Amino acid sequence: MADEREPLLRNVQEDDEEKETACGTGPCDPKGCIHRYFPVLVIMCFLSFGSYFCYDNPAALQDNMLRDLELTEGQFMLFYSLYSWPNVILCFFGGFLIDRMFGVRLGAIIFSIFVTIGQVMFSLGSLFNSFTLMCAARFVFGVGGESLAVAQNTYAVKWFKGRELNMVFGLQLSFSRVGSTVNMNVMQPLYSFIDEHVHGYRCLGIALFVGAGMCVFSLLCALLLAFLDKRADRILQRQAVAGEGEQIRLLDVRFFPLSFWLISIICVAYYVAVFPFVGLGLVFFEMKFDMSPTQANAVNSLVYIISAVASPVFGFLIDRSGKNLFWVILGVTVTLGCHALLAFTFITPYVGMIVMGLAYSVLASALWPMVALIIPQHQLGTAYGIMQAIQNLGLAVISLVAGLIVDSKGYLVLEVFFMAWLCSPTLNLSAKRRQALREAEQARDEEEKLKKEIESEKGVNKVF
Amino acid sequence: MACTGRLFVIFLASFSGCLAALDKRDVTTEFYPDCDEFCKAALNQSTTTGNFSNLVYVRAAGQGGNSGDVLHYVLSTVNVPSILMVHTEGDKNAKLNFNWERLLMGDNITDMADAITTNTTTAGNVRYSFAVVFTKLLEYDDQDDSANVNASHVLWNIRNFTEFQWMNATTGQNGHSVIFNTTSSQPSPAENKTSGSLSFEFELNHEQGRDDDLPRLLFNANNTQINFVLDKFVPSFNKSRFALEVVMVSQETSDSMYLEETKSIDDEYSPGVFRVVNWYTMGSHRHDGGYLQYKPVCYMKKERSRASGTETSHYALVDPMDFPDLGSILNISLARAFFGNQSVVRQSTNVSFGLSQDGFYVKNNYTAWTASVGYGAPPDETISLLVIIIIAAGLGIPVVLIIFGGIYVCVRKLRSRRGYRQMDNVADGGRFPPIN
């Protein structure tokens, strides 16, 4: 992709256009655009690879954990609730701390350290068969994990705003999926391999230490990225995100525009209609569509697999077309259609789930970058933190509610419940409120157009 | 569209069903009916051996003017667990008579035929009769995790139900059900670990309603619900799965039996279960014969829930007379006792429990399955008013708002566009600018 765009594009900074030189100066030169993709983007993607890999370690080793540690299902589920419930609040503070105290570089490093320590504790807990330690570990891991995602988003905006932000968000989403997919496929064989030498909870502990290795790798990425970011700031004389200039105070949240809260609501309303459904989907596909468990599993994971592949591509296309808002509405509407298809017809669920995967990819890569259009850069960490917190709250509560609904009233009512959630974003986006978002978007599109014109002019100058 | 079509069919079904079946009945239950000296001697012996030949006679008579419409149920573990249903009309004193010597095949008796007879003189009074006989408990080692009893399996443990020993029947659910439980000394390869039990529970209803327990089957005054439970039954293999072999025997008609599975989008009453299996004794007059109805789900824990549920599978109907051993079991069942040498229609099939990847029977050492056996039209699920209201409120209101909102926005846009054009006209001195 980089090569394709080389002759025309250049790394233009908003405030210092004079300092720019032509593209193609090599990966080590922060002035060149290659540098932005390699190494920065690559490292950025691996920044939270470790945390996504380890987040689903328990799921990948569920049977082994239940057996080796003699856990009940309830105790096992605690590993997940200890991660998600604290993050209903914590990642808001994580984002705020990035803006106010640490800055994105230090923030990313600190949160990576939390993730690594958490996973090491988790492994030790298993090695010594201490359930308490493992619970504490998941909490520490959670403190780091979600806030690290906020830091990653902030980094992405810092490096890619006004350029390929949708694509970068798509790519990050894709990598999070890759992280958990790799985990799902690697941990079980790894466990079996270790089991040839060590057995029981010790085997489990050693397997989990491999996850800790991934976290260390991500920590290294955080350090490297911090170095590159600082170097780029120095060479390009960029203003640091935090530390200088304006500083956000906690109460500034009050002045966040309405459109930001709207995006947050859309985000939570959409995500609760997709992920809790996937969580409960297995039985639905088996029983309603008469599938074997293997088929049902395949259908159920389609949303994840498709989003891993499609979201960078859609992100790239949305970068080209602009009009994020249109894509968000399209994503929501199409998902609504998919749910209706699954709920009211017997058409093979492959159709519904594939289209839902595509719609989710469109929505995810269009929705998150919109925040960067309406929130000033020095408040972005807080903004993404809030969004993530609301999303966590929504997912945690709605997952519980969805479980209750399906157990008492069945899947048809559950699907209607999800569809009602999907209707709410469309309602929210009534004409008046759309105005604000659209204006922000147009401003962005125009800015970009202008930038591209300048860049292409410069490119032409350079060639001649 | 599909829903309304279904509702219409259901309406027709329940309407025509009412012609043959009543809404309310008075139910009387009698254990060991007509117990003569032979029966008493046998009972005495059972008390010492611990093996009872249970027989419960349930008489469900219509109320008021319909008192001549009587459903007779015979629930029994004589040789094999089975249920006989006889529908008589026109005689409010109609009852079944039991000859215990023939039933238990005393010394000089080689045939059970005519052990159960009706007291009604005219044969026309018996409107319809059929029996459901549970003949075998199949156990197979499901190495491939196929959960298909017809697939090829190397290791089998097939128990004829004639081999089981039964405890004296007990009542459950405040006297509304009869429970037949095997004794702990049932045959098993691991003789020292036989603490498990196998039981059949028959629920008797005097009016219509819905069971409280999953799969929350509908019941009415013309059927009985059967709960089959395999609790802590010692499996023979690591990957054991079980199946029941079931035979239906009905009086001769020109009609043949028919097994059908229907689907619905609605799973309100049994979450996660979208299908119903109906096995009709009269395939083309489905509201006039007998039926065995179940939802293809069984539960792997005593606490029935969506999570503890797993599927059951059904298979094609076959003629039991193609299998000599099955024929000989039927010859010592209630079906023989009632039908004797009458010509009958017989079909058999299996109901197998489990779905691949559910962890086999051994996961919880528990399987419970519910079916109902009845006369007339089988109960049919309809989409409840609650669900229709939820759909209307949850989807209808937002959709209406979105449509009206959209129209409002469009109208306003058109108006404002016109407004701009007029202004432009003034500014440009009456020249029409292009409309974009």
Side-chain angles (χ1 to χ4, degrees):
Chain A
M1 243 178 288
D3 298 336
E4 193 184 303
R5 302 180 64 181
E6 246 174 76
L8 289 178
L9 290 184
R10 226 145 343 138
N11 189 354
V12 180
Q13 286 300 321
E14 286 163 43
D15 32 11
D16 284 303
E17 279 172 22
E18 296 85 355
K19 299 227 167 357
E20 297 302 319
T21 54
C23 201
T25 38
C28 296
D29 185 359
K31 291 174 202 151
C33 70
I34 294 181
H35 179 72
R36 203 163 68 222
Y37 301 112
F38 182 82
V40 174
L41 182 56
V42 176
I43 296 173
M44 208 180 277
C45 285
F46 278 105
L47 184 61
S48 54
F49 184 83
S51 89
Y52 283 114
F53 182 90
C54 295
Y55 170 74
D56 266 334
N57 270 177
L61 294 170
Q62 180 168 9
D63 289 340
N64 314 58
M65 274 195 171
L66 293 178
R67 191 183 57 235
D68 294 344
L69 303 166
E70 290 168 13
L71 300 181
T72 62
E73 297 269 342
Q75 284 176 313
F76 177 81
M77 288 317 289
L78 202 58
F79 287 153
Y80 280 96
S81 29
L82 274 171
Y83 179 96
S84 54
W85 281 104
N87 271 311
V88 167
I89 303 198
L90 279 178
C91 58
F92 161 65
F93 287 104
F96 176 72
L97 287 174
I98 288 173
D99 282 345
R100 169 85 197 197
M101 288 181 66
F102 302 147
V104 64
R105 291 191 289 260
L106 191 57
I109 294 170
I110 290 173
F111 296 130
S112 292
I113 290 174
F114 267 102
V115 166
T116 312
I117 291 177
Q119 181 66 16
V120 169
M121 281 166 68
F122 196 59
S123 321
L124 286 174
S126 165
L127 212 54
F128 297 114
N129 195 9
S130 159
F131 179 68
T132 328
L133 181 58
M134 289 180 88
C135 286
R138 282 301 276 193
F139 175 75
V140 174
F141 182 75
V143 170
E146 290 294 289
S147 303
L148 184 60
V150 174
Q152 196 187 19
N153 288 346
T154 317
Y155 257 134
V157 174
K158 189 176 174 189
W159 279 82
F160 294 95
K161 190 183 175 188
R163 296 188 187 91
E164 304 90 8
L165 195 53
N166 292 296
M167 192 267 288
V168 170
F169 270 94
L171 201 64
Q172 284 182 357
L173 173 73
S174 161
F175 254 73
S176 69
R177 297 291 158 246
V178 171
S180 47
T181 312
V182 169
N183 157 65
M184 286 294 181
N185 291 305
V186 158
M187 286 316 274
Q188 200 61 51
L190 185 73
Y191 180 93
S192 312
F193 174 73
I194 299 169
D195 199 38
E196 288 171 17
H197 311 284
V198 190
H199 306 292
Y201 53 81
R202 288 204 183 79
C203 169
L204 192 65
I206 295 170
L208 291 174
F209 259 116
V210 175
M214 293 290 173
C215 294
V216 172
F217 170 68
S218 284
L219 177 59
L220 290 177
C221 287
L223 291 168
L224 199 57
L225 198 56
F227 166 73
L228 290 173
D229 191 63
K230 185 150 193 165
R231 180 164 163 266
D233 276 1
R234 187 179 30 114
I235 295 175
L236 302 174
Q237 298 181 359
R238 282 202 302 214
Q239 208 176 46
V241 172
E244 299 165 37
E246 300 165 276
Q247 273 203 341
I248 188 176
R249 280 168 307 148
L250 207 52
L251 286 176
D252 285 353
V253 169
R254 283 175 305 168
F255 305 118
F256 277 3
L258 179 67
S259 43
F260 166 75
W261 297 110
L262 222 58
I263 291 177
S264 301
I265 292 171
I266 296 171
C267 173
V268 74
Y270 184 85
Y271 277 66
V272 299
V274 172
F275 291 100
F277 172 69
V278 172
L280 294 165
L282 210 57
V283 177
F284 180 65
F285 298 129
E286 283 172 8
M287 299 298 269
K288 181 166 178 184
F289 300 99
D290 217 356
M291 297 186 130
S292 74
T294 322
Q295 282 173 313
N297 215 351
V299 174
N300 207 26
S301 50
L302 272 176
V303 170
Y304 291 117
I305 295 169
I306 287 175
S307 66
V309 179
S311 47
V313 179
F314 281 131
F316 178 75
L317 294 176
I318 295 167
D319 279 322
R320 285 298 159 97
S321 74
K323 299 191 177 53
N324 282 39
L325 192 63
F326 165 75
W327 294 112
V328 167
I329 294 176
L330 186 75
V332 172
T333 321
V334 170
T335 309
L336 188 63
C338 293
H339 271 298
L341 208 64
L342 292 165
F344 300 129
T345 71
F346 285 101
I347 296 172
T348 170
Y350 280 103
V351 177
M353 292 304 273
I354 287 174
V355 178
M356 195 190 285
L358 294 174
Y360 167 65
S361 312
V362 169
L363 180 123
S365 38
L367 185 69
W368 291 87
M370 278 169 83
V371 177
L373 303 179
I374 47 176
I375 300 285
Q377 190 140 351
H378 70 278
Q379 297 176 332
L380 262 182
T382 314
Y384 277 123
I386 289 173
M387 218 163 135
Q388 204 106 350
I390 295 177
Q391 190 196 346
N392 276 321
L393 176 68
L395 285 178
V397 173
I398 299 302
S399 295
L400 282 181
V401 175
L404 291 177
I405 289 178
V406 74
D407 281 335
S408 57
K409 289 281 165 236
Y411 278 97
L412 181 64
V413 175
L414 180 74
E415 280 286 29
V416 172
F417 173 72
F418 287 146
M419 282 185 258
W421 273 105
L422 281 172
C423 285
S424 68
T426 327
L427 284 181
N428 272 322
L429 290 171
S430 64
K432 231 180 204 174
R433 294 170 181 179
R434 256 197 313 249
Q435 206 64 38
L437 285 171
R438 191 169 287 151
E439 274 162 16
E441 212 173 66
Q442 274 167 2
R444 195 273 315 251
D445 288 349
E446 270 161 29
E447 184 186 302
E448 245 172 42
K449 208 189 259 174
L450 200 70
K451 205 182 288 167
K452 275 176 192 162
E453 274 167 18
I454 295 167
E455 280 175 1
S456 57
E457 269 168 29
K458 280 198 171 182
V460 171
N461 289 345
K462 184 74 193 172
V463 171
F464 290 105
Chain B
M1 193 61 193
C3 297
T4 46
R6 211 178 114 79
L7 283 174
F8 182 65
V9 171
I10 289 156
F11 173 73
L12 273 185
S14 48
F15 179 70
S16 51
C18 288
L19 296 175
L22 297 176
D23 288 341
K24 277 196 170 186
R25 291 180 185 277
D26 292 322
V27 178
T28 51
T29 308
E30 198 178 346
F31 288 73
Y32 303 106
D34 299 339
C35 198
D36 54 12
E37 290 306 314
F38 188 87
C39 162
K40 279 173 185 151
L43 268 178
N44 271 335
Q45 205 190 346
S46 296
T47 321
T48 48
T49 59
N51 181 20
F52 287 81
S53 294
N54 291 290
L55 193 138
V56 181
Y57 174 38
V58 181
R59 201 172 169 280
Q63 292 173 331
N66 290 318
S67 60
D69 183 315
V70 187
L71 280 178
H72 310 263
Y73 300 86
V74 183
L75 321 171
S76 171
T77 63
V78 175
N79 299 325
V80 283
S82 47
I83 174 168
L84 170 72
M85 249 182 117
V86 181
H87 180 219
T88 58
E89 246 180 11
D91 183 357
K92 61 181 178 181
N93 297 317
K95 70 182 283 284
L96 298 182
N97 293 326
F98 300 86
N99 181 333
W100 279 90
E101 199 171 356
R102 294 193 79 82
L103 205 57
L104 301 180
M105 291 202 283
D107 292 337
N108 305 318
I109 293 165
T110 52
D111 189 357
M112 277 174 86
D114 301 327
I116 303 173
T117 48
T118 50
N119 69 342
T120 50
T121 43
T122 45
N125 280 345
V126 176
R127 272 285 300 267
Y128 195 72
S129 52
F130 72 99
V132 179
V133 184
F134 297 95
T135 47
K136 287 176 201 163
L137 179 69
L138 312 171
E139 182 182 5
Y140 59 97
D141 189 20
D142 194 10
Q143 283 298 334
D144 308 330
D145 201 5
S146 65
N148 181 345
V149 77
N150 282 356
S152 61
H153 305 288
V154 180
L155 295 172
W156 287 85
N157 186 1
I158 299 174
R159 300 168 177 89
N160 288 348
F161 271 117
T162 49
E163 297 166 20
F164 287 79
Q165 302 199 329
W166 301 88
M167 292 198 277
N168 205 359
T170 52
T171 55
Q173 309 198 6
N174 299 324
H176 291 298
S177 77
V178 175
I179 304 166
F180 298 143
N181 210 331
T182 57
T183 60
S184 55
S185 57
Q186 24 110 348
S188 162
E191 290 295 344
N192 52 343
K193 309 182 286 178
T194 50
S195 58
S197 79
L198 178 157
S199 67
F200 288 91
E201 179 181 20
F202 298 87
E203 290 174 25
L204 304 160
N205 317 301
H206 65 279
E207 60 183 351
Q208 52 190 331
R210 185 185 291 284
D211 202 34
D212 290 335
D213 293 328
L214 287 173
R216 306 197 63 205
L217 286 181
L218 284 169
F219 58 74
N220 58 36
N222 306 300
N223 72 10
T224 171
Q225 251 177 52
I226 305 175
N227 283 314
F228 170 73
V229 180
L230 268 179
D231 188 10
K232 298 194 199 73
F233 202 78
V234 181
S236 311
F237 317 108
N238 288 336
K239 296 183 174 177
S240 273
R241 289 190 190 282
F242 288 91
L244 269 180
E245 187 183 69
V246 191
V247 183
M248 287 247 266
V249 182
S250 79
Q251 70 180 55
E252 170 91 285
T253 53
S254 54
D255 218 339
S256 56
M257 292 193 184
Y258 187 75
L259 191 140
E260 175 190 64
E261 183 183 78
T262 49
K263 274 184 166 187
S264 157
I265 60 163
D266 184 19
D267 63 334
E268 181 190 357
Y269 294 107
S270 44
V273 187
F274 297 85
R275 289 173 285 156
V276 176
V277 178
N278 283 308
W279 178 1
Y280 303 96
T281 59
M282 290 167 74
S284 46
H285 300 86
R286 296 179 185 177
H287 315 308
D288 301 327
Y291 62 84
L292 182 129
Q293 180 187 62
Y294 65 91
K295 291 194 172 181
V297 61
C298 60
Y299 297 91
M300 299 176 78
K301 281 182 183 168
K302 206 163 200 157
E303 296 74 31
R304 298 183 177 191
S305 69
R306 189 185 57 86
S308 68
T310 184
E311 270 186 56
T312 69
S313 303
H314 61 88
Y315 303 87
L317 297 177
V318 294
D319 186 351
M321 294 332 250
D322 292 345
F323 306 92
D325 62 326
L326 205 47
S328 60
I329 296 176
L330 286 180
N331 268 337
I332 51 169
S333 71
L334 283 191
R336 180 72 190 171
F338 182 76
F339 293 112
N341 290 319
Q342 275 185 52
S343 52
V344 289
V345 181
R346 307 181 193 89
Q347 293 281 277
S348 74
T349 191
N350 295 323
V351 179
S352 69
F353 309 118
L355 173 72
S356 56
Q357 295 182 21
D358 66 2
F360 308 99
Y361 175 77
V362 291
K363 188 178 181 192
N364 295 308
N365 278 340
Y366 188 89
T367 289
W369 174 68
T370 301
S372 54
V373 170
Y375 169 72
D380 204 345
E381 295 279 5
T382 52
I383 294 179
S384 73
L385 190 64
L386 178 76
V387 169
I388 291 170
I389 290 172
I390 289 174
I391 292 175
L395 283 180
I397 294 172
V399 166
V400 166
L401 284 176
I402 288 166
I403 290 172
F404 278 96
I407 293 172
Y408 172 71
V409 169
C410 288
V411 167
R412 230 182 47 163
K413 257 190 185 167
L414 278 176
R415 272 194 193 153
S416 63
R417 196 175 276 178
R418 255 183 226 141
Y420 282 131
R421 200 162 71 184
Q422 278 163 6
M423 300 255 293
D424 285 343
N425 286 350
V426 174
D428 290 353
R431 210 155 39 84
F432 276 94
I435 305 160
N436 55 330

Short mmCIF file of all heavy atoms in Angstrom, two decimals, chain A residues 421-449:
data_model
loop_
_atom_site.label_atom_id
_atom_site.label_comp_id
_atom_site.label_asym_id
_atom_site.label_seq_id
_atom_site.Cartn_x
_atom_site.Cartn_y
_atom_site.Cartn_z
N TRP A 421 -32.21 -2.83 20.31
CA TRP A 421 -30.97 -2.07 20.56
C TRP A 421 -30.46 -1.46 19.28
O TRP A 421 -29.98 -0.32 19.26
CB TRP A 421 -29.89 -2.99 21.15
CG TRP A 421 -29.96 -3.09 22.64
CD1 TRP A 421 -30.42 -4.15 23.36
CD2 TRP A 421 -29.57 -2.10 23.59
NE1 TRP A 421 -30.35 -3.87 24.70
CE2 TRP A 421 -29.83 -2.63 24.87
CE3 TRP A 421 -29.04 -0.82 23.48
CZ2 TRP A 421 -29.57 -1.91 26.03
CZ3 TRP A 421 -28.78 -0.11 24.65
CH2 TRP A 421 -29.04 -0.65 25.90
N LEU A 422 -30.53 -2.22 18.20
CA LEU A 422 -29.98 -1.72 16.94
C LEU A 422 -30.82 -0.58 16.38
O LEU A 422 -30.32 0.25 15.63
CB LEU A 422 -29.91 -2.85 15.91
CG LEU A 422 -28.72 -3.78 16.09
CD1 LEU A 422 -28.84 -4.97 15.17
CD2 LEU A 422 -27.42 -3.04 15.83
N CYS A 423 -32.12 -0.57 16.74
CA CYS A 423 -32.96 0.53 16.27
C CYS A 423 -32.57 1.83 16.94
O CYS A 423 -32.69 2.90 16.36
CB CYS A 423 -34.43 0.24 16.55
SG CYS A 423 -35.12 -0.97 15.45
N SER A 424 -32.08 1.74 18.19
CA SER A 424 -31.84 2.97 18.95
C SER A 424 -30.80 3.89 18.32
O SER A 424 -30.99 5.10 18.33
CB SER A 424 -31.50 2.64 20.40
OG SER A 424 -30.26 2.01 20.47
N PRO A 425 -29.68 3.37 17.74
CA PRO A 425 -28.75 4.30 17.11
C PRO A 425 -29.40 5.07 15.97
O PRO A 425 -29.18 6.26 15.80
CB PRO A 425 -27.64 3.41 16.57
CG PRO A 425 -27.78 2.13 17.21
CD PRO A 425 -29.18 2.00 17.68
N THR A 426 -30.24 4.38 15.20
CA THR A 426 -30.86 5.03 14.08
C THR A 426 -31.78 6.15 14.57
O THR A 426 -31.84 7.23 13.98
CB THR A 426 -31.67 4.01 13.26
OG1 THR A 426 -30.99 2.77 13.34
CG2 THR A 426 -31.81 4.44 11.84
N LEU A 427 -32.47 5.86 15.69
CA LEU A 427 -33.33 6.89 16.24
C LEU A 427 -32.51 8.07 16.74
O LEU A 427 -32.88 9.21 16.56
CB LEU A 427 -34.14 6.32 17.41
CG LEU A 427 -35.31 5.45 17.04
CD1 LEU A 427 -36.02 5.00 18.30
CD2 LEU A 427 -36.26 6.21 16.13
N ASN A 428 -31.38 7.74 17.38
CA ASN A 428 -30.53 8.78 17.94
C ASN A 428 -30.04 9.75 16.87
O ASN A 428 -29.84 10.91 17.10
CB ASN A 428 -29.30 8.16 18.61
CG ASN A 428 -29.60 7.84 20.04
OD1 ASN A 428 -30.29 8.58 20.69
ND2 ASN A 428 -29.10 6.72 20.50
N LEU A 429 -29.82 9.16 15.71
CA LEU A 429 -29.24 9.97 14.65
C LEU A 429 -30.34 10.74 13.91
O LEU A 429 -30.39 10.75 12.70
CB LEU A 429 -28.47 9.09 13.68
CG LEU A 429 -27.18 8.53 14.27
CD1 LEU A 429 -26.58 7.50 13.37
CD2 LEU A 429 -26.20 9.65 14.53
N SER A 430 -31.24 11.32 14.65
CA SER A 430 -32.28 12.10 14.00
C SER A 430 -31.63 13.31 13.33
O SER A 430 -30.51 13.69 13.64
CB SER A 430 -33.31 12.55 15.01
OG SER A 430 -32.69 13.40 15.93
N ALA A 431 -32.36 13.91 12.43
CA ALA A 431 -31.78 14.89 11.53
C ALA A 431 -30.98 15.97 12.25
O ALA A 431 -29.86 16.27 11.87
CB ALA A 431 -32.89 15.52 10.72
N LYS A 432 -31.58 16.49 13.31
CA LYS A 432 -30.94 17.63 13.97
C LYS A 432 -29.56 17.26 14.47
O LYS A 432 -28.58 17.97 14.26
CB LYS A 432 -31.81 18.04 15.15
CG LYS A 432 -32.14 19.52 15.17
CD LYS A 432 -33.01 19.79 16.38
CE LYS A 432 -33.85 21.05 16.15
NZ LYS A 432 -34.81 21.25 17.24
N ARG A 433 -29.49 16.11 15.14
CA ARG A 433 -28.22 15.72 15.75
C ARG A 433 -27.20 15.31 14.71
O ARG A 433 -26.01 15.42 14.92
CB ARG A 433 -28.45 14.56 16.71
CG ARG A 433 -29.30 14.97 17.89
CD ARG A 433 -29.68 13.76 18.66
NE ARG A 433 -30.52 14.12 19.80
CZ ARG A 433 -31.01 13.24 20.65
NH1 ARG A 433 -30.72 11.95 20.48
NH2 ARG A 433 -31.76 13.61 21.65
N ARG A 434 -27.69 14.81 13.60
CA ARG A 434 -26.76 14.40 12.55
C ARG A 434 -25.95 15.58 12.04
O ARG A 434 -24.83 15.43 11.60
CB ARG A 434 -27.55 13.77 11.40
CG ARG A 434 -27.43 12.29 11.40
CD ARG A 434 -27.82 11.65 10.12
NE ARG A 434 -29.05 12.08 9.52
CZ ARG A 434 -30.15 11.33 9.44
NH1 ARG A 434 -30.16 10.14 9.96
NH2 ARG A 434 -31.21 11.76 8.83
N GLN A 435 -26.59 16.76 12.15
CA GLN A 435 -25.96 17.94 11.60
C GLN A 435 -24.54 18.12 12.14
O GLN A 435 -23.59 18.30 11.38
CB GLN A 435 -26.81 19.17 11.94
CG GLN A 435 -26.64 20.31 10.97
CD GLN A 435 -27.11 19.92 9.56
OE1 GLN A 435 -28.09 19.22 9.43
NE2 GLN A 435 -26.39 20.36 8.55
N ALA A 436 -24.44 18.05 13.47
CA ALA A 436 -23.15 18.31 14.11
C ALA A 436 -22.09 17.36 13.59
O ALA A 436 -20.99 17.77 13.20
CB ALA A 436 -23.29 18.17 15.62
N LEU A 437 -22.47 16.06 13.53
CA LEU A 437 -21.51 15.06 13.08
C LEU A 437 -21.12 15.32 11.63
O LEU A 437 -19.96 15.22 11.25
CB LEU A 437 -22.12 13.67 13.20
CG LEU A 437 -22.21 13.11 14.60
CD1 LEU A 437 -23.03 11.85 14.61
CD2 LEU A 437 -20.81 12.83 15.12
N ARG A 438 -22.14 15.66 10.85
CA ARG A 438 -21.86 15.83 9.43
C ARG A 438 -20.92 17.00 9.21
O ARG A 438 -20.01 16.95 8.39
CB ARG A 438 -23.18 16.05 8.69
CG ARG A 438 -22.99 15.96 7.20
CD ARG A 438 -24.31 15.91 6.49
NE ARG A 438 -24.97 14.63 6.66
CZ ARG A 438 -26.30 14.47 6.64
NH1 ARG A 438 -27.08 15.52 6.51
NH2 ARG A 438 -26.83 13.28 6.74
N GLU A 439 -21.13 18.07 9.98
CA GLU A 439 -20.26 19.24 9.83
C GLU A 439 -18.82 18.87 10.13
O GLU A 439 -17.91 19.22 9.37
CB GLU A 439 -20.74 20.37 10.73
CG GLU A 439 -21.80 21.21 10.05
CD GLU A 439 -22.60 22.04 11.04
OE1 GLU A 439 -22.15 22.19 12.20
OE2 GLU A 439 -23.69 22.51 10.66
N ALA A 440 -18.65 18.15 11.24
CA ALA A 440 -17.29 17.74 11.61
C ALA A 440 -16.68 16.91 10.48
O ALA A 440 -15.52 17.06 10.12
CB ALA A 440 -17.33 16.92 12.90
N GLU A 441 -17.51 16.07 9.92
CA GLU A 441 -17.04 15.19 8.87
C GLU A 441 -16.64 15.98 7.62
O GLU A 441 -15.60 15.76 7.03
CB GLU A 441 -18.16 14.22 8.53
CG GLU A 441 -17.65 12.89 8.09
CD GLU A 441 -18.82 11.94 7.94
OE1 GLU A 441 -19.64 12.19 7.05
OE2 GLU A 441 -18.91 11.00 8.72
N GLN A 442 -17.52 16.91 7.27
CA GLN A 442 -17.22 17.70 6.07
C GLN A 442 -15.94 18.47 6.25
O GLN A 442 -15.10 18.53 5.35
CB GLN A 442 -18.38 18.65 5.79
CG GLN A 442 -19.46 17.97 4.95
CD GLN A 442 -20.73 18.78 4.92
OE1 GLN A 442 -20.80 19.87 5.51
NE2 GLN A 442 -21.73 18.26 4.24
N ALA A 443 -15.78 19.05 7.44
CA ALA A 443 -14.57 19.80 7.72
C ALA A 443 -13.36 18.91 7.51
O ALA A 443 -12.36 19.31 6.90
CB ALA A 443 -14.60 20.32 9.16
N ARG A 444 -13.48 17.67 7.99
CA ARG A 444 -12.38 16.73 7.87
C ARG A 444 -12.12 16.43 6.39
O ARG A 444 -10.99 16.45 5.92
CB ARG A 444 -12.71 15.44 8.64
CG ARG A 444 -11.55 14.52 8.89
CD ARG A 444 -11.29 13.54 7.75
NE ARG A 444 -12.48 12.91 7.24
CZ ARG A 444 -12.80 11.65 7.42
NH1 ARG A 444 -12.04 10.90 8.13
NH2 ARG A 444 -13.87 11.15 6.87
N ASP A 445 -13.20 16.13 5.66
CA ASP A 445 -13.04 15.78 4.26
C ASP A 445 -12.38 16.91 3.48
O ASP A 445 -11.49 16.68 2.67
CB ASP A 445 -14.41 15.45 3.64
CG ASP A 445 -14.92 14.12 4.15
OD1 ASP A 445 -14.11 13.41 4.80
OD2 ASP A 445 -16.10 13.80 3.92
N GLU A 446 -12.82 18.14 3.79
CA GLU A 446 -12.25 19.27 3.06
C GLU A 446 -10.78 19.44 3.40
O GLU A 446 -9.94 19.65 2.51
CB GLU A 446 -13.02 20.54 3.40
CG GLU A 446 -14.18 20.75 2.45
CD GLU A 446 -15.22 21.70 3.00
OE1 GLU A 446 -14.84 22.59 3.81
OE2 GLU A 446 -16.40 21.55 2.65
N GLU A 447 -10.51 19.31 4.67
CA GLU A 447 -9.13 19.44 5.14
C GLU A 447 -8.24 18.45 4.41
O GLU A 447 -7.15 18.78 3.95
CB GLU A 447 -9.11 19.18 6.64
CG GLU A 447 -7.78 19.37 7.32
CD GLU A 447 -7.88 18.92 8.78
OE1 GLU A 447 -8.74 19.49 9.50
OE2 GLU A 447 -7.14 18.02 9.17
N GLU A 448 -8.78 17.23 4.31
CA GLU A 448 -8.00 16.18 3.66
C GLU A 448 -7.78 16.48 2.19
O GLU A 448 -6.70 16.30 1.65
CB GLU A 448 -8.75 14.85 3.79
CG GLU A 448 -7.98 13.87 4.63
CD GLU A 448 -8.80 12.65 4.91
OE1 GLU A 448 -9.47 12.15 4.00
OE2 GLU A 448 -8.76 12.20 6.07
N LYS A 449 -8.85 16.94 1.56
CA LYS A 449 -8.77 17.25 0.13
C LYS A 449 -7.67 18.29 -0.09
O LYS A 449 -6.81 18.15 -0.94
CB LYS A 449 -10.13 17.80 -0.32
CG LYS A 449 -10.40 17.52 -1.80
CD LYS A 449 -11.63 18.26 -2.27
CE LYS A 449 -12.88 17.41 -2.34
NZ LYS A 449 -14.07 18.20 -2.66
#
